[in-house]
Amino acid sequence: MSQGFQVNNILGGTTYPFLAVLLCGTTPGIPSNGPVTILEKIEGGNINEEELIQRLSTVLETWGQALINARLDKEEREVARRLREEQDMAYEESLRADQEKERKAQEEMERIKLEEEKLKFEENERIRKEEERKREQEEKARRVADEPEPNETDVTKFIIRLLDGSKIQRRFRGEDTLQKVFDFIDTKQDVPMSQCQLSTNYPKKVFSDPTVTLKSAGLTPQAMVFVSEK
């Protein structure tokens, strides 16, 4: 069965030519029997041009205002829909902007928090190292406290130039080890001897073995030594 024949059966056409004015869907103010409403049917050829125009005009006069109202209502709904879409888009854009702003603010807060924690950790580490260094210096000061008297035998006089260029003097015994000299220097400067070296200038000689005695190292009865960074 052809599509045209099916449409004809739906519209109820019996003679030809056949003309129908159809309204698809429902329109307020126009009675409807289904998805398609027949507003006018003109069948057969016994109708002239004027009558055809008159009948079509009657359709417009009868249902035209309802159709205009329906069109206006549709346009209003479309305008309202577009307005809602624009408002929704503006709201979503504003929401995204607020979320991005909040995200950046949160990141900045986290960055500041991490920076504060880092500074606090570094400060605690600095204090810990200072206290550890202080305890170490106090312990070394106790170990090197017994400076020999000038009239003792086997005494060597040291002149020591520290890292900052200042000079200090100290007496040691020939049997003292270089470790005792290192410990003494450690009590006089902030930079630990673990980061420094001890040497003479003429002849140039670096002393690194802390177990060697001063007598064995040739640093008696007197010596001038220099502290430098490794």
Side-chain angles (χ1 to χ4, degrees):
M1 183 179 296
S2 68
Q3 185 176 5
F5 185 73
Q6 291 178 351
V7 172
N8 183 68
N9 285 341
I10 294 171
L11 299 179
T14 58
T15 58
Y16 299 94
F18 177 80
L19 174 65
V21 180
L22 306 178
L23 174 64
C24 297
T26 60
T27 299
I30 300 178
S32 175
N33 297 322
V36 178
T37 301
I38 302 174
L39 300 180
E40 181 63 274
K41 287 197 302 184
I42 302 173
E43 298 181 85
N46 298 324
I47 184 171
N48 56 38
E49 181 179 343
E50 292 182 1
E51 185 179 354
L52 176 61
I53 293 174
Q54 179 62 39
R55 292 181 66 173
L56 292 176
S57 297
T58 302
V59 172
L60 289 177
E61 291 175 1
T62 305
W63 309 114
Q65 190 59 49
L67 294 172
I68 291 172
N69 293 339
R71 188 186 72 231
L72 293 175
D73 183 62
K74 181 179 180 181
E75 290 176 354
E76 289 178 359
R77 290 198 303 272
E78 180 64 17
V79 170
R81 182 188 66 80
R82 291 180 181 177
L83 180 60
R84 286 194 302 272
E85 287 181 352
E86 292 174 358
Q87 290 174 338
D88 289 344
M89 290 177 62
Y91 171 76
E92 290 175 1
E93 183 66 24
S94 176
L95 181 61
R96 284 193 295 269
D98 290 342
Q99 290 173 340
E100 180 66 13
K101 183 178 180 181
E102 183 178 354
R103 183 187 65 79
K104 289 182 178 180
Q106 184 66 29
E107 287 181 352
E108 180 65 12
M109 289 176 60
E110 291 177 358
R111 186 192 67 78
I112 293 174
K113 181 180 178 182
L114 289 175
E115 184 67 20
E116 290 176 347
E117 289 177 351
K118 178 183 177 183
L119 292 175
K120 184 177 180 180
F121 173 79
E122 291 175 350
E123 178 63 14
N124 289 338
E125 277 295 290
R126 184 189 65 80
I127 294 174
R128 183 189 64 80
K129 288 180 179 179
E130 285 183 355
E131 292 176 347
E132 183 178 321
R133 174 68 176 159
K134 183 178 180 181
R135 288 193 297 270
E136 182 181 298
Q137 287 178 313
E138 290 173 350
E139 175 60 27
K140 289 180 178 181
R142 285 192 290 270
R143 290 205 297 262
V144 301
D146 59 333
E147 181 179 6
E149 297 295 330
N151 58 358
E152 288 187 28
T153 60
D154 194 25
V155 172
T156 180
K157 182 180 179 181
F158 265 64
I159 299 176
I160 305 169
R161 183 184 290 273
L162 300 176
L163 276 178
D164 62 3
S166 62
K167 291 182 181 179
I168 55 174
Q169 297 185 26
R170 201 346 175 126
R171 294 183 301 276
F172 294 92
R173 295 181 178 87
E175 294 305 316
D176 288 337
T177 63
L178 281 169
Q179 183 63 61
K180 194 165 188 176
V181 178
F182 294 161
D183 289 346
F184 172 73
I185 296 173
D186 252 342
T187 66
K188 302 300 180 179
Q189 62 180 25
D190 294 331
V191 182
M193 279 301 292
S194 59
Q195 300 176 20
C196 302
Q197 62 183 13
L198 189 68
S199 64
T200 55
N201 267 357
Y202 303 105
K204 178 70 174 180
K205 184 176 181 181
V206 177
F207 302 96
S208 57
D209 186 353
T211 63
V212 174
T213 64
L214 303 184
K215 184 179 294 186
S216 299
L219 296 173
T220 56
Q222 61 183 11
M224 184 171 184
V225 292
F226 298 83
V227 181
S228 60
E229 292 191 55
K230 291 182 179 179

